Amino acid sequence: MSKQLTVLDTETCCAPIATATVAAEAAADLATAFKALGDPVRLQLLSMIASADGGEACVCDLTPAFDLTGPTISHHLKVLREAGLVESDRRGTWVWYRANRPKLAALSALLGTPAPVA
């Protein structure tokens, strides 16, 4: 079962939590992304993908960086993909991943303003 990527409207979902309440639908979508990033391997994978030269990384370059099996890495990439944090394309026998920049911007904007000091 594939999930569709939800593109979040900046005005609807991305006001910093210190300045506005997050709507329930946006909160559910963003929580899925934050949950996906709660695993150190997935956080590192996203970092590797987002910082890769040319803006994308081949799974063949990601797998050797971990002491994990190929299927485990594939599982983590699937979680990132289903959370809308990465997009992928198959090219021959390899899959190439790139960060979903609008989704990362939404996560960043949500946390962008520090809470006021009481």
Side-chain angles (χ1 to χ4, degrees):
M1 174 182 195
S2 73
K3 295 185 178 186
Q4 289 194 338
L5 173 66
T6 303
V7 177
L8 303 172
D9 180 296
T10 304
E11 292 181 18
T12 303
C13 75
C14 300
I17 58 175
T19 62
T21 302
V22 179
E25 184 177 319
D29 186 54
L30 293 167
T32 300
F34 281 118
K35 183 177 179 181
L37 292 175
D39 182 280
V41 172
R42 290 192 288 266
L43 185 57
Q44 191 175 6
L45 281 167
L46 181 60
S47 174
M48 292 170 70
I49 293 165
S51 66
D53 289 337
E56 59 185 6
C58 176
V59 71
C60 60
D61 295 326
L62 299 171
T63 304
F66 299 91
D67 189 24
L68 300 169
T69 64
T72 300
I73 296 297
S74 292
H75 165 74
H76 286 299
L77 290 167
K78 177 183 174 188
V79 172
L80 290 173
R81 198 172 53 251
E82 288 179 347
L85 294 167
V86 297
E87 300 165 337
S88 63
D89 291 313
R90 179 171 292 282
R91 298 180 197 156
T93 59
W94 298 111
V95 179
W96 289 78
Y97 291 88
R98 66 192 163 282
N100 179 343
R101 300 290 178 177
K103 182 71 161 220
L104 295 180
L107 296 175
S108 178
L110 184 68
L111 300 176
T113 303
V117 178

